[in-house]
């Protein structure tokens, strides 16, 4: 029997936790935590129930915070989160992911670290930054950040990462060696004869389909894509969407063909919801067709954006869907997106949204 559902929220001023029962009709807000440091990504370890928060800044430095009591108390560590002397210092942790007994952290400037002791100490996986393309990586609007981490659910050696603006990379040997996985994704900001480079694309978000680890979805600066072969080839699935531009994507917890997006109106037109009317877009057929979901969302004079890690689903039936906005609101749906409720307002800018289901 499900006991409670938690929404884990990373913001520019700390981490927050919202808690509800399985009905998901009423939510209690707690926080801010992590001494109000900027928290770029807050996740849960489903095996232990531990909450982990990655963040920091040029002022505080990088750190991963940890709570074993659902947010009541926290500790943090930055041990090992550093590049060799002489390299640009790490500004912050941008993404976290659990894979087997290991925990991964993506950082700014882009690089990958692993912890085998629950986040107490970290080791740099230098293979990624040793890739031949590294001298040509360029920062996106938020910097040169490793923001997407997708471990393979059945093979701890395999991992995909998304870097702005370098593209998607894959390892099959626990990070020793890497290959680019960008074929078919556009780079509209490049000269016309260089629109499909091997690397250099500005990937915004990378998610994995439930039960099909080689089916990946990618929201890019220049389009929306699906891959059915682990990123070796990408196919555009943006037809039917109001814009090819956006940041977040969230996969359904059971159906590999269901995906949620929140498109924005373009990279140079304000980066807010199209026409000032909020909508989440859902596909049930892997991107062949799309439906806009608006019930309960504001439909006028709405100018918020939603950032790359600020949308998530839960694993209940029917699935819950959640997103947080640049203006500090959090919206929730308990019916797979058919209707929405604002469950928190006036938070700091929301940087990430994840969920955890705690069972009795």
């Amino acid at each position: 029997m499900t006991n409670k559902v938690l929404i884990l929220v990373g913001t520019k001023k700390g981490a927050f936790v919202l808690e509800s029962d399985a009905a998901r009709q009423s939510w209690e807000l707690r926080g801010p935590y992590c001494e109000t440091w900027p928290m770029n990504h807050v996740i849960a370890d489903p095996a232990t129930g531990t909450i982990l928060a990655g963040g920091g800044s040029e002022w505080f430095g990088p750190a991963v915070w940890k709570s074993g009591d659902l947010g009541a108390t926290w500790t943090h560590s930055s041990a090992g989160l550093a590049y060799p002397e002489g390299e640009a210092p790490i500004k912050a942790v941008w993404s976290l992911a659990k894979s087997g007994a290991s925990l991964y952290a993506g950082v700014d400037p882009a690089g990958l670290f692993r912890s085998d002791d629950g986040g107490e100490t970290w080791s740099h996986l230098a293979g990624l930054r040793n890739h031949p393309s590294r001298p040509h990586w360029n920062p996106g609007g938020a910097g040169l950040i490793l923001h997407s981490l997708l471990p393979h659910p059945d093979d701890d050696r395999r991992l995909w990462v998304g870097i702005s603006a370098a593209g998607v990379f894959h390892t099959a040997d626990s990070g020793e060696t890497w290959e680019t996985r960008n074929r078919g994704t556009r780079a509209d900001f490049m000269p016309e004869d260089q629109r499909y480079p091997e690397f250099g694309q500005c990937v915004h978000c990378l998610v994995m389909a439930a039960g099909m680890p080689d089916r990946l979805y990618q929201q890019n600066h220049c389009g929306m894509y699906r891959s059915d072969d682990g990123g070796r080839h990408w196919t555009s699935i943006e037809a039917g969407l109001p814009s090819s531009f956006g940041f977040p994507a969230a996969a359904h917890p059971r159906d590999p063909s269901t995906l949620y997006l929140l498109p924005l109106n373009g990279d140079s037109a304000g980066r807010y919801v199209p026409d000032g009317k909020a909508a989440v877009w859902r596909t049930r057929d892997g991107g062949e067709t799309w439906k806009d979901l608006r019930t309960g969302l504001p439909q006028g004079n709405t100018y918020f954006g939603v950032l790359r890690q600020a949308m998530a689903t839960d694993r209940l039936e029917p699935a819950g869907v959640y997103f947080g906005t640049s203006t500090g609101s959090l919206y929730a749906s308990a019916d797979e997106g058919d209707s929405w409720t604002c469950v928190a307002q006036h938070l700091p800018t929301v940087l990430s949204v994840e969920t955890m289901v705690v069972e009795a």
Side-chain angles (χ1 to χ4, degrees), residues 1-327:
M1 178 180 176
T2 300
N3 186 20
K4 62 182 70 175
V5 182
L6 304 184
I7 310 174
L8 312 175
V9 184
T11 80
K12 285 190 173 182
K13 297 180 181 180
F16 293 80
V17 177
L18 284 87
E19 183 175 316
S20 180
D21 60 18
R24 297 163 292 179
Q25 299 301 309
S26 178
W27 296 87
E28 176 191 352
L29 175 69
R30 297 186 273 113
Y33 298 123
C34 307
E35 297 178 8
T36 68
W37 286 26
M39 288 292 110
N40 292 313
H41 199 199
V42 185
I43 69 168
D45 179 351
T48 64
T50 300
I51 300 174
L52 299 149
S57 66
E58 292 183 81
W59 178 260
F60 295 113
V64 174
W65 294 70
K66 181 166 59 175
S67 174
D69 51 16
L70 302 184
T73 59
W74 295 80
T75 59
H76 70 87
S77 175
S78 59
L81 283 171
Y83 291 136
E85 187 175 351
E87 295 193 32
I90 295 173
K91 300 175 183 177
V93 173
W94 260 85
S95 54
L96 295 169
K98 194 73 165 52
S99 178
S102 297
L103 180 65
Y104 288 94
V107 301
D108 173 14
L112 185 64
F113 287 76
R114 185 177 67 215
S115 174
D116 296 319
D117 57 10
E120 296 297 321
T121 60
W122 297 87
S123 299
H124 180 215
L125 301 182
L128 181 59
R129 285 171 65 87
N130 290 337
H131 192 272
S133 66
R134 173 63 186 89
H136 306 287
W137 295 359
N138 290 304
L144 184 59
I145 56 175
L146 195 161
H147 53 68
S148 292
L149 282 168
L150 295 185
H152 193 286
D154 304 315
D155 185 348
D156 293 346
R157 299 168 298 176
R158 296 183 63 191
L159 180 72
W160 291 262
V161 302
I163 300 172
S164 294
V168 176
F169 294 79
H170 173 264
T171 181
D173 55 14
S174 300
E176 291 293 323
T177 61
W178 296 80
E179 65 178 36
T180 57
R181 294 281 176 97
N182 299 297
R183 185 174 299 172
T185 53
R186 301 189 313 275
D188 292 340
F189 43 81
M190 300 287 286
E192 189 170 349
D193 60 348
Q194 301 174 36
R195 292 287 170 83
Y196 291 89
E198 178 188 352
F199 60 87
Q201 291 88 342
C202 189
V203 55
H204 282 180
C205 182
L206 194 66
V207 297
M208 181 181 291
M212 294 180 63
D214 279 332
R215 171 171 284 187
L216 307 177
Y217 295 100
Q218 177 188 161
Q219 174 67 70
N220 194 283
H221 190 104
C222 307
M224 185 64 210
Y225 300 90
R226 189 188 79 211
S227 173
D228 291 323
D229 58 7
R232 293 180 178 87
H233 303 86
W234 294 90
T235 301
S236 173
I237 57 170
E238 62 198 63
L241 292 169
S243 167
S244 62
F245 181 86
F247 286 99
H252 191 278
R254 289 172 294 279
D255 181 1
S257 295
T258 295
L259 182 76
Y260 298 89
L261 301 179
L262 205 151
L264 303 180
N265 65 344
D267 62 349
S268 58
R271 301 192 178 198
Y272 53 78
V273 291
D275 302 318
K277 300 177 181 179
V280 173
W281 291 72
R282 180 181 65 200
T283 180
R284 295 288 199 186
D285 51 19
E288 295 295 324
T289 60
W290 296 91
K291 177 178 175 57
D292 56 325
L293 309 171
R294 300 178 182 271
T295 302
L297 297 178
Q299 293 303 294
N301 300 318
T302 304
Y303 302 104
F304 60 62
V306 178
L307 298 176
R308 69 184 83 243
Q309 296 182 118
M311 176 179 278
T313 58
D314 67 32
R315 59 182 177 84
L316 298 185
E317 176 65 52
V321 191
Y322 310 88
F323 69 89
T325 75
S326 58
T327 55

Side-chain angles (χ1 to χ4, degrees), residues 298-355:
Q299 293 303 294
N301 300 318
T302 304
Y303 302 104
F304 60 62
V306 178
L307 298 176
R308 69 184 83 243
Q309 296 182 118
M311 176 179 278
T313 58
D314 67 32
R315 59 182 177 84
L316 298 185
E317 176 65 52
V321 191
Y322 310 88
F323 69 89
T325 75
S326 58
T327 55
S329 295
L330 187 69
Y331 289 88
S333 170
D335 54 12
E336 309 214 345
D338 289 338
S339 62
W340 297 87
T341 302
C342 183
V343 297
Q345 297 184 76
H346 313 306
L347 299 176
T349 297
V350 176
L351 303 176
S352 76
V353 174
E354 299 285 358
T355 66

